[in-house]
C-alpha cells in the first residue's frame, strides 16, 4: 500500500559523535518532538557522515544505538516519526554518487565548515569524505522529497548547496526533487558553552566542562553548573551581550520551565548567581532523571531497540526507493530486474 503523506515532509539528521547535550535538546531535539505530529518527519542518525573523522568501531556502534535510544527517550515517537540509521538505507550512498557527478569542486571547496575543519591541514591529510560531506547531506534530504529541513545557522550553507543541486538536477533531467527549505522553528533557544558563553554549546567540545550531556549524573550536573562562568555584577539581569554567562543560565532555566529568560531574571533580581545556579541545576536534574530512566530502559532492552530501528529503516527504504529509481531512470540507466525490489 502506498500511503501518500499529506503532511509536508521534514527531514533532519544528527551525527552520532560526541554526546548529545542539553544545548542540542533545547536548540533542536525539543522542536523535533513538537514537530513530529505536524509534519511527516524522518529523523536520521547520520552514521555515514560520522566516519568523515576516524571512529573507534565498537564505541561507534554503541553510540549510534545510544543516540537512537536518546531520541526516543526524549519523546520522539517511533510510530509517529521515522527514526533510522543512515547506513541502513543504501539509497543515501547511491544518490550521493549520482549527485557527486553533478557537483563541482569549486562549490564544495567554498563550504565554510570544510574550510574550518581543514584549516592548517596539509592537503595530503584531508579526507575526501570531509570534502564530500555536503553532497551526502544533500542526498539525505533529496531522497525523501523533503520540504523542510530544521537546521542551525552553521548548516544553512549546506542547505543552499542542496537546493542548488536539486535545481541543477531538475533542470538537466526534468522534475526529480522537491527543492527543500530551511525551517527555523519559532521557539528556539541557543544554549551557550558553560565556560565560554559566547560560543555555542557543542556536543563535540573537548572540554567536558563546557556542556551538560543528557546522560550526565546529578553530581556532575551540579558541579558543572556551579562552575559555569558568570560575572561579578550584583543581582540577576538578562543581558546576553554584556552578561552572556548569566543569560545562558537563564536561557536554560527558561527553556526547562517554559518561561521567558527576561521574566525569570526579574524574579531573581535580589538574588545572586548562587541561587540561580542552584535552580538551574535542580531544573536540569528534574528534567534529566526521568529521561535517563527511559533511556536506560531502552538500552537494557536491545531486542526492542533493534526492532524499532529495523522498522524505521524499512520505512525509510520504502520511502527512498521511488526517488532513487526516478533519478536512475532519468539519467538513462538501464533498469535490470535487479532494480525491481520495491
Ligand atoms: N550536517 C548536519 C550537522 O552537522 C547533519 C546532517 C546530515 C543533516 N544530514 C542532514 C541535517 C540532513 C539536516 C538534514 O548538523
Amino acid at each position: 500500500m502506498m500511503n501518500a503523506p499529506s503532511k509536508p515532509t521534514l527531514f533532519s539528521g544528527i551525527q552520532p559523535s560526541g554526546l548529545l547535550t542539553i544545548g542540542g535538546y533545547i536548540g533542536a531535539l525539543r522542536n523535533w518532538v513538537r514537530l513530529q505530529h505536524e509534519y511527516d518527519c524522518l529523523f536520521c542518525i547520520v552514521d555515514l557522515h560520522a566516519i568523515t573523522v576516524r571512529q573507534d568501531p565498537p564505541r561507534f556502534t554503541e553510540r549510534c544505538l545510544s543516540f537512537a535510544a536518546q531520541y526516543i527517550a526524549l519523546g520522539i515517537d517511533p510510530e509517529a516519526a521515522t527514526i533510522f540509521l543512515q547506513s541502513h538505507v543504501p539509497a543515501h550512498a547511491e544518490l550521493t554518487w549520482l549527485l557527486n557527478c553533478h557537483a563541482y569542486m569549486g562549490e564544495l571547496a567554498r563550504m565554510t565548515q570544510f574550510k574550518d575543519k581543514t584549516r592548517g591541514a596539509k592537503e595530503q591529510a584531508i579526507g575526501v569524505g570531509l570534502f564530500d560531506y555536503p553532497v551526502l547531506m544533500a542526498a539525505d534530504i533529496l531522497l525523501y522529497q523533503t520540504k523542510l529541513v530544521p537546521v542551525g545557522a552553521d548548516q544553512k550553507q549546506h542547505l543552499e548547496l542542496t537546493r542548488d543541486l536539486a535545481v541543477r538536477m531538475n533542470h538537466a533531467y526534468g522534475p526529480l526533487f522537491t527543492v527543500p527549505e530551511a525551517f527555523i522553528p519559532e521557539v528556539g533557544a541557543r544554549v551557550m558553552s558553560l565556560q565560554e558563553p559566547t560560543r555555542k554549546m557543542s556536543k563535540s567540545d573537548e572540554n567536558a566542562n563546557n556542556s551538560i550531556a543528557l546522560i550526565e549524573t546529578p553530581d556532575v550536573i551540579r558541579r558543572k553548573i556551579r562552575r559555569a562562568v558568570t560575572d561579578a555584577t550584583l543581582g540577576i539581569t538578562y543581558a546576553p551581550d554584556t552578561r552572556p554567562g548569566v543569560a545562558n543560565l537563564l536561557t536554560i532555566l527558561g527553556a526547562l520551565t517554559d518561561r521567558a529568560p527576561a521574566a525569570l531574571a526579574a524574579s531573581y533580581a535580589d538574588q545572586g548567581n548562587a541561587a540561580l545556579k542552584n535552580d538551574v541545576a535542580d531544573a536540569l536534574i528534574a528534567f534529566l532523571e526521568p529521561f535517563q530512566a527511559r533511556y536506560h530502559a531502552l538500552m537494557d532492552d536491545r531486542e526492542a531497540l533493534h526492532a524499532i530501528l529495523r522498522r524505521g529503516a524499512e520505512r525509510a527504504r520504502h520511502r527512498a526507493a521511488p526517488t532513487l529509481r526516478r533519478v536512475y531512470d532519468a539519467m538513462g540507466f538501464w533498469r535490470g530486474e535487479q532494480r525491481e525490489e520495491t
Side-chain angles (χ1 to χ4, degrees):
M1 186 188 71
M2 248 329 246
N3 58 349
S6 50
K7 304 173 192 168
T9 300
L10 181 148
F11 185 102
S12 198
I14 287 192
Q15 260 199 71
S17 56
L19 289 167
L20 286 174
T21 69
I22 193 69
Y25 170 68
I26 291 171
L29 286 156
R30 187 173 55 143
N31 282 313
W32 294 11
V33 176
R34 292 180 178 154
L35 297 170
Q36 65 183 337
H37 300 293
E38 268 175 71
Y39 296 92
D40 175 28
C41 292
L42 295 122
F43 296 127
C44 185
I45 292 153
V46 293
D47 51 359
L48 294 172
H49 277 108
I51 62 159
T52 49
V53 297
R54 188 74 88 241
Q55 300 289 339
D56 171 58
R59 278 203 271 166
F60 180 49
T61 310
E62 199 58 16
R63 201 182 308 115
C64 289
L65 291 169
S66 165
F67 270 48
Q70 289 182 69
Y71 284 13
I72 298 164
L74 285 172
I76 294 175
D77 173 1
E79 294 305 318
T82 300
I83 302 175
F84 69 105
L85 301 192
Q86 187 185 30
S87 65
H88 291 189
V89 184
H92 290 248
E94 289 184 69
L95 183 60
T96 299
W97 178 253
L98 302 179
L99 295 177
N100 269 339
C101 296
H102 297 80
Y104 300 114
M105 299 281 289
E107 62 190 348
L108 294 180
R110 272 199 301 278
M111 294 291 120
T112 54
Q113 188 171 70
F114 173 72
K115 290 196 279 188
D116 288 347
K117 290 201 169 166
T118 56
R119 187 156 295 130
K122 290 195 286 291
E123 203 163 77
Q124 292 93 312
I126 299 172
V128 173
L130 215 49
F131 186 67
D132 202 31
Y133 181 109
V135 181
L136 177 57
M137 178 164 162
D140 296 342
I141 295 166
L142 298 180
L143 260 184
Y144 300 96
Q145 302 295 337
T146 302
K147 185 78 200 144
L148 300 166
V149 186
V151 281
D154 63 326
Q155 295 297 314
K156 281 217 185 117
Q157 201 185 20
H158 290 163
L159 193 66
E160 272 311 308
L161 178 87
T162 302
R163 290 165 55 87
D164 290 346
L165 284 169
V167 169
R168 191 175 304 157
M169 296 293 284
N170 289 348
H171 187 77
Y173 301 105
L176 293 174
F177 300 121
T178 301
V179 181
E181 277 160 37
F183 181 74
I184 318 287
E186 298 147 44
V187 249
R190 238 164 98 85
V191 175
M192 311 304 278
S193 155
L194 297 177
Q195 295 299 315
E196 295 173 62
T198 51
R199 284 181 27 210
K200 199 172 148 184
M201 185 182 285
S202 158
K203 70 180 162 44
S204 38
D205 202 313
E206 286 133 42
N207 181 354
N209 287 324
N210 281 336
S211 55
I212 302 279
L214 296 179
I215 54 177
E216 210 89 80
T217 60
D219 288 353
V220 177
I221 293 172
R222 281 200 196 284
R223 178 166 52 75
K224 287 186 178 179
I225 294 296
R226 216 179 303 123
R227 291 189 189 165
V229 166
T230 49
D231 56 58
T233 306
L234 286 180
I236 300 295
T237 50
Y238 180 68
D241 292 338
T242 51
R243 308 187 68 190
V246 172
N248 192 35
L249 293 173
L250 290 165
T251 298
I252 296 171
L253 186 57
L256 295 175
T257 58
D258 248 325
R259 300 189 55 190
L264 269 176
S267 67
Y268 285 91
D270 313 324
Q271 300 178 68
N273 290 333
L276 174 60
K277 285 181 169 180
N278 200 38
D279 289 354
V280 172
D282 283 348
L284 279 167
I285 292 163
F287 170 70
L288 290 177
E289 260 177 354
F291 156 79
Q292 290 176 3
R294 292 190 296 272
Y295 165 71
H296 290 299
L298 284 157
M299 289 299 275
D300 288 344
D301 187 354
R302 291 301 168 103
E303 271 316 306
L305 185 58
H306 296 174
I308 288 172
L309 292 175
R310 268 198 302 271
R311 214 161 51 232
E314 264 165 42
R315 260 152 60 175
R317 279 197 296 269
H318 181 77
R319 293 276 302 269
T323 296
L324 182 66
R325 169 176 295 177
R326 214 190 302 158
V327 182
Y328 275 127
D329 285 349
M331 290 177 71
F333 283 86
W334 176 63
R335 189 202 296 171
E337 269 113 64
Q338 75 273 18
R339 303 214 64 82
E340 293 294 345
E341 73 286 342
T342 48

